[in-house]
């Protein structure tokens, strides 16, 4: 089955630690995205990538980093510089020339 | 600039009655518009999309939306609510040619038995 897989589903991090969220897609999509979701705020774009080895900052990139070494994979690292990392993180992908995005099931990150 | 406003943060309907979730957008260009649904602790699922074809768009699960350029609206409707429709709904606008989606803040739909 084609789709987007995010792992893990739940993640706990101690303050001051970096943590990496995985996102893999087998849809052969060129574009991939990371969003952060907080209650009552909808989704906000962290980073996006239109092609392998290229990515752009979104609206709230501070404290996050990404890589796009393979078309299928777009991992997100939440660094210790991110002041309030507890949130629900969603990965998405789309065919560059089309318009709708397909979403993974999300990772809920909690800082303890 | 693009933005999208969902006029109600919470809508409550009785099972079997109509659903109306309101969305207004602003865009300098001819936009692409979407409605997504999110069940608790899940990802987003596309309900329907408008991409400058027919103004009345039919989606999955009996939902539909009408694009009204004069009113800059893209309201989501369903004739009869089911319990399984209880979820969060997001109206989304995308600028043509750009890889960015602008999300509304969401409307939580509650369905009362």
């Amino acid at each position: 089955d084609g789709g987007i897989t995010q792992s893990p589903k739940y993640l706990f991090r101690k303050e001051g630690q970096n943590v990496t969220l995985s996102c893999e897609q087998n849809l052969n999509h060129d574009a991939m995205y990371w969003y952060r979701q907080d209650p009552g705020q909808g989704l906000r774009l962290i980073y996006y990538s239109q092609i392998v080895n290229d990515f752009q900052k979104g609206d709230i990139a501070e404290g996050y980093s990404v890589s796009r070494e393979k078309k299928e994979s777009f991992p997100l690292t939440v660094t210790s510089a991110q002041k309030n990392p507890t949130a629900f993180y969603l990965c998405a992908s789309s065919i560059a020339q089309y318009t709708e995005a397909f979403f993974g099931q999300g990772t809920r990150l909690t800082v303890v | 600039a693009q933005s999208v406003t969902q006029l109600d943060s919470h809508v409550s309907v009785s099972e079997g009655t109509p659903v109306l979730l309101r969305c207004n957008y602003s865009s300098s260009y001819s936009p692409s518009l979407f409605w997504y649904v999110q069940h608790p602790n899940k990802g987003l699922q596309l309900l329907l999309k408008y991409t400058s074809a027919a103004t009345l768009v039919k989606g999955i699960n009996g939902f539909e939306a009408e694009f009204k350029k004069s009113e800059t609206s893209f309201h989501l409707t369903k004739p009869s609510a089911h319990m399984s429709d209880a979820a969060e709904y997001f109206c989304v606008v995308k600028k043509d040619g750009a890889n960015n989606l602008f999300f509304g803040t969401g409307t939580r739909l509650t369905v009362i038995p």
Side-chain angles (χ1 to χ4, degrees), chain A residues 9-10 31 33 35 37 40-43 45 48 50 88 90 94 96 98-106 108, chain B residues 32 34 36 38 40-46 49-51 88 90 94 96-106:
Chain A
K9 187 172 182 179
Y10 298 97
Y33 317 80
Y35 291 91
Q37 185 176 24
Q41 295 192 45
L43 277 67
L45 182 67
Y48 67 99
Q50 299 189 39
F88 191 52
L90 287 159
S94 67
Y98 288 91
T99 57
E100 68 258 39
F102 295 83
F103 284 82
Q105 294 298 293
R108 185 165 296 282
Chain B
S32 295
F34 310 84
Y36 283 85
Q38 184 182 33
N41 293 311
K42 299 291 186 183
L44 276 68
Q45 180 184 17
L46 181 68
K49 63 179 179 179
Y50 167 78
T51 55
E88 187 101 19
F90 292 95
K94 179 172 179 177
D96 280 349
N99 284 309
N100 202 352
L101 302 172
F102 295 87
F103 285 79
T105 52

Side-chain angles (χ1 to χ4, degrees), chain B residues 7-26:
Chain B
L7 298 165
D8 305 295
S9 60
H10 188 203
V11 170
S12 185
V13 301
S14 297
E15 190 177 15
T17 64
V19 176
L20 170 63
L21 306 182
R22 298 182 294 167
C23 173
N24 286 99
Y25 70 92
S26 65

Side-chain angles (χ1 to χ4, degrees), chain B residues 3 13 29 53 60 72 87 113:
Chain B
S3 71
V13 301
Y29 301 84
I60 62 171
T72 61

Side-chain angles (χ1 to χ4, degrees), chain B residues 44-97:
Chain B
L44 276 68
Q45 180 184 17
L46 181 68
L47 277 177
L48 49 81
K49 63 179 179 179
Y50 167 78
T51 55
S52 73
T55 56
L56 182 62
V57 181
K58 293 187 184 299
I60 62 171
N61 301 335
F63 284 95
E64 62 182 38
E66 186 172 7
F67 173 71
K68 292 186 176 181
K69 187 174 182 179
S70 61
E71 299 176 10
T72 61
S73 69
F74 191 57
H75 300 334
L76 182 70
T77 60
K78 183 173 180 178
S80 176
H82 294 165
M83 294 300 295
S84 60
D85 294 328
E88 187 101 19
Y89 291 80
F90 292 95
C91 183
V92 182
V93 61
K94 179 172 179 177
K95 176 182 174 182
D96 280 349

